[in-house]
Amino acid sequence: MEKKRVFSGIQPSGIPTIGNYFGAISRFSEMQDENDCLFCVVDLHTLTQRFEPDVLRNRTRYLFALFLAAGIEMEKSTLFIQSQVPQHAELAWILSCYTMFGELSRMTQFKEKSQKNPENINTGLFNYPVLMAADIALYDTAYVPVGEDQKQHVEIARDICERFNSVYGSVLTVPQPVMPKVGGRIMSLVDPTRKMDKSDPNPQAFISLVDDKDTIIKKFKKAVTDSDSSVHYDTVNKAGVSNLMEIYSLATGKTIEETENIFAGQGYGVFKPAVGEAVDAAIEPVRRRVSELMENPALLDILMKRGNEKAAAMASFTLNKVKKAVGLVGQGFNSLEVK
């Protein structure tokens, strides 16, 4: 049976949190056995913010290393850096001509980020979904694993591809979003109504993959819960505890029901440090492997070059189809009588 094409990209806008890891990255190694997977460090997307150049470069390399440390195998999957495959930007321009202004102005993330950063409401932030649509469409992607906050971006990518196809025929594959049942949206430790965010100005709100064991346990001990000390799953009335239970479940492989049984009658004084211990045990091997890879820059360069070249070859095939469809001149395209 032919494998389905899966694409996923993560921004190097900060050191990933356990939300990024458990919600997405840790699942990728399982996907690659049954699907034709492409994993991308989407560094062009980070340019909607301002970063020191050396910081962005280092974070890009770190994220590439993290993918490898989490089990992505270059022989099974295509792992690459977005900015090193120029077809992404070229297709984004073409697709922007098939994207309506009103569609982009209604995007939730654009509104939220504009409110947070009113001094930097740039065009790239507005056009972000078009570049994401190009990321996906370049590789005939069938499925895009996303968290709840990114689902709207896949939906507009579908709309763009369908609009393009309605004019030119079945040129682009229309993607489907895939959301995890558990862990799709790990919440902040200080405000369980908000998603855990690696860019949060409060470091107590998230667990970074570079946090050491003591820091992790301290953060979980301070995590917001409630006055009732029972470890019970109730996302409405016990949002903080429910979030910690999901994290513990993801770190240990235990079900929510098993987690409730393990900590029945023990209270938060026992439960919170146990979550910290479980999380550290889960990410420590990955943390160690990332460090090893970062200390071998020559190997990282070789692997990045290999992945970039493989992705570029695949992207060129789709881009040429699109350019031919819209009437752009290209090598090997049939000539027609000038009208």
Side-chain angles (χ1 to χ4, degrees), residues 91 94-95 97-98 164 167-168 171-172 319-329 333:
L91 182 59
I94 296 174
L95 293 185
C97 299
Y98 298 84
F164 189 91
V167 178
Y168 301 108
V171 178
L172 300 174
L319 183 60
N320 283 338
K321 285 198 303 178
V322 169
K323 293 169 76 171
K324 183 175 181 180
V326 301
L328 297 177
V329 174
F333 297 174

Side-chain angles (χ1 to χ4, degrees), residues 18 189 196 203-225 244 247-248 251 268-284 287:
I18 59 169
L189 298 184
M196 185 178 286
Q204 297 299 317
F206 60 87
I207 303 295
S208 165
L209 292 186
V210 297
D211 284 343
D212 59 31
K213 183 176 181 178
D214 288 344
T215 300
I216 290 171
I217 292 175
K218 286 178 182 177
K219 287 184 178 182
F220 275 113
K221 284 182 176 180
K222 294 179 180 179
V224 171
T225 48
L244 298 187
I247 294 171
Y248 183 84
Y268 300 159
V270 174
F271 176 57
K272 288 184 177 182
V275 178
E277 292 276 358
V279 167
D280 180 71
I283 68 174
E284 197 280 329
R287 190 169 54 210

Side-chain angles (χ1 to χ4, degrees), residues 194 197-206:
R194 294 188 296 109
D197 184 353
K198 58 181 176 285
S199 301
D200 197 308
N202 183 354
Q204 297 299 317
F206 60 87

Side-chain angles (χ1 to χ4, degrees), residues 223-242:
V224 171
T225 48
D226 51 59
S227 57
D228 175 16
S229 62
S230 66
V231 179
H232 176 65
Y233 192 77
D234 181 345
T235 57
V236 175
N237 299 306
K238 296 173 72 66
V241 174
S242 297

Side-chain angles (χ1 to χ4, degrees), residues 2-16:
E2 185 179 358
K3 291 184 176 181
K4 294 292 185 180
R5 181 69 55 78
V6 174
F7 177 93
S8 186
I10 298 179
Q11 288 193 50
S13 54
I15 299 299

